[in-house]
Amino acid sequence: MSVDPNTPVLRNCIHLPLPEDELIEVTGKAKDYAIMHGAAMRSKTSFSPDSLNFAPFVLVPSSFPRKEFEKAVGLQPIINRLMHNVAHDEEFITTTLAETIKVDEFTANLFNIYRKVLAHGFTQAYSIGLLRSDYLGHVYEGCAIKQVEINTVASSFGGIATHLVQLQNFVLRELGHADKLPKMPNNNALAGLCDGMVKAWDIYAKPQAVILFIIEDVSYNICDQRFHEFYIRETYPHIKVLRRTLTDVHREGKLGLNKELLLSGLEVAVIYFRAGYEPGHYHSQDEWDARYLMETSLAIKCPSIQYHLAGTKKVQQALAQPAVLERFINDPDEIKAVGKIFTGLYSLDDNDAGNATYEMALRTPEKFVLKPQREGGGNNVYGLDIPDALKRMSRVERSGWILMDLIHPPLTKGYMVRPGAEMPPTIVDMVSELGIFGVVIGDADHIIHNYQAGHMLRTKLATANEGGVAAGLGALDSPYLIDSDDEDEN
Ligand code: ADP
Ligand code: MG
């Protein structure tokens, strides 16, 4: 992706470039700090379960407008409530996904589970959502945040993000800029998310019951998951965490007399899905059967199937249509505030509106992103690639996708540090995506816990369409909050 040369550059936290010897020294220290504090991942290229690489990170925190950060934080409880209400609106989910599930097999499989669970009645009335709402600033609206997506399943990096603040604090101190630390907001994402799981465990009210993490066959982002597991054991010594794949659950899992989920002789109170959000996690019908077994069980799911479906791109697109928010939010000021973070999202369903979107995308593809119903990065089609992609689809196939306005974020300049890369790093143009975590617990009629739970910042090369950290174009970061009336640092 080319970057418009007129894109504004946010003021840096400190003056760059750093003198080369200082840069080499501090980068070396920061890499070891990262490994030793778990800002780390398993290597994909030379995988070993016995070793870790540091996770790609940005050396000095990237600037983010304070006003927009605080807006995102303040909105999170409203977004939590919105998603909770959406998840419990059977009619809305069913009509919104009606066209999508005709062509998208994965979403259809999820929807089938939902339909079966609905038919038999929910065994467990409570759900827990550990959400992450992601934003980019939009330069054409004064860097106002626009929502990229909302994650309701496997919202990751709450564990590592918490430690990134300490890593960058360390770097700033080493560089003689301790005065900058107060502008880095505290981040208690790990505690907030895990305490949420334990609140759900409390609702289940069985002292012997465990928390089950559903994991991939191989977990590259292992530290992020382990931080959650270790935090729970350290803070709540009486609670055990089990880790199992969907395949394991199919092999070992069964339901007890009261539909309690039993695994290795243990009863499961809470299921936290860190896998199960992409087709590759379901190798055969066995894994789908396991998912269904868990959905029909008494365990409290994070997410339950209705929450998972509420997080689809199609539902996000439907929510951004005029007057839809009124169905889920009562307060007009809240409707206005949430409406402002949405950018244009357009249906590609097989009808007049969908056809109009299609024509618009062919006319001005450079303005858009085309998205399927997938999570985990690397699935979207950008700008000038859109017409070819759309023309290859039948009219019906298009309903598996949505179209979204491209958001134009401001640039920052900094050093990205990644394993195996040349030393010292060079200054690159970057853009940052802010994620705000939220916790919401309740049943169809009541929300009993609803709070914002920390944040994460993921920064990518400005020229990259996507910044998947594991995929190699993104890096972990944390925000340095700038005010419009700050003195210029440079
Ligand atoms: P996924 O579920 O795969 O994470 P996203 O919707 O978050 O899907 O898209 C992946 C990445 O693509 C985002 O992190 C962001 O970098 C980029 N992206 C997505 N939507 C937009 C958009 N509307 N404008 C600009 N970049 C976008
Ligand atoms: Mg995303």
Side-chain angles (χ1 to χ4, degrees), residues 149 313 371 375 377 380 382 404-405 407 433 460 466:
E149 67 158 342
K313 308 279 192 288
K371 297 188 181 185
E375 302 296 330
N380 301 339
Y382 293 84
M404 182 174 186
D405 285 344
I407 307 164
E433 183 171 337
K460 65 177 184 181
E466 295 194 19

Side-chain angles (χ1 to χ4, degrees), residues 180-449:
K180 305 288 182 189
L181 304 187
K183 291 195 173 188
M184 292 186 67
N186 279 340
N187 194 357
N188 295 318
L190 179 65
L193 296 170
C194 295
D195 292 345
M197 278 191 249
V198 172
K199 287 180 202 302
W201 183 90
D202 284 337
I203 291 172
Y204 194 84
K206 290 265 189 81
Q208 302 302 322
V210 302
I211 298 180
L212 169 66
F213 286 17
I214 296 297
I215 54 166
E216 318 93 311
D217 296 330
V218 180
S219 297
Y220 296 99
N221 195 9
I222 186 72
C223 297
D224 195 56
Q225 297 181 10
R226 289 287 189 210
F227 275 131
H228 292 72
E229 178 175 352
F230 298 163
Y231 173 92
I232 291 172
R233 190 53 120 177
E234 281 159 15
T235 316
Y236 308 94
H238 52 292
I239 303 180
K240 183 182 181 70
V241 168
L242 286 185
R243 287 167 61 83
R244 293 288 186 277
T245 64
L246 289 166
T247 316
D248 294 335
V249 173
H250 177 255
R251 203 168 38 232
E252 299 173 31
K254 54 178 196 284
L255 297 189
L257 284 179
N258 301 310
K259 296 206 176 173
E260 58 279 37
L261 179 66
L262 304 171
L263 268 178
S264 314
L266 296 167
E267 179 170 350
V268 176
V270 176
I271 308 175
Y272 173 51
F273 286 91
R274 288 295 295 244
Y277 57 82
E278 66 172 43
H281 296 156
Y282 298 82
H283 310 301
S284 68
Q285 186 58 38
D286 290 355
E287 287 73 22
W288 285 110
D289 291 347
R291 180 77 192 262
Y292 179 63
L293 182 84
M294 290 187 275
E295 284 308 325
T296 55
S297 80
L298 192 61
I300 301 177
K301 274 78 68 182
C302 174
S304 55
I305 193 73
Q306 65 271 32
Y307 253 91
H308 190 161
L309 290 170
T312 53
K313 308 279 192 288
K314 182 66 195 175
V315 167
Q316 184 192 359
Q317 179 262 310
L319 283 175
Q321 304 316 295
V324 173
L325 280 179
E326 288 160 30
R327 182 171 176 143
F328 303 105
I329 304 180
N330 294 326
D331 182 332
D333 292 336
E334 291 184 359
I335 294 176
K336 220 167 124 196
V338 173
K340 276 196 192 148
I341 61 167
F342 292 158
T343 185
L345 284 141
Y346 313 92
S347 160
L348 280 161
D349 283 356
D350 183 12
N351 55 30
D352 288 349
N355 290 332
T357 304
Y358 173 75
E359 298 297 336
M360 178 173 75
L362 295 192
R363 264 195 321 272
T364 51
E366 68 284 357
K367 291 187 174 163
F368 301 110
V369 188
L370 178 65
K371 297 188 181 185
Q373 310 306 311
R374 289 291 168 278
E375 302 296 330
N379 303 298
N380 301 339
V381 180
Y382 293 84
L384 299 181
D385 293 335
I386 293 175
D388 275 352
L390 280 179
K391 284 183 200 158
R392 278 197 300 271
M393 297 175 205
S394 69
R395 277 170 66 125
V396 183
E397 277 167 349
R398 282 183 230 146
S399 15
W401 300 67
I402 57 139
L403 194 74
M404 182 174 186
D405 285 344
L406 197 61
I407 307 164
H408 293 274
L411 301 180
T412 53
K413 288 185 184 287
Y415 298 106
M416 261 189 197
V417 187
R418 52 180 66 261
E422 228 169 87
M423 280 281 277
T426 49
I427 293 187
V428 286
D429 286 343
M430 312 183 295
V431 305
S432 297
E433 183 171 337
L434 177 69
I436 303 288
F437 292 102
V439 176
V440 53
I441 304 178
D443 62 13
D445 304 317
H446 305 282
I447 291 178
I448 49 177
H449 298 286

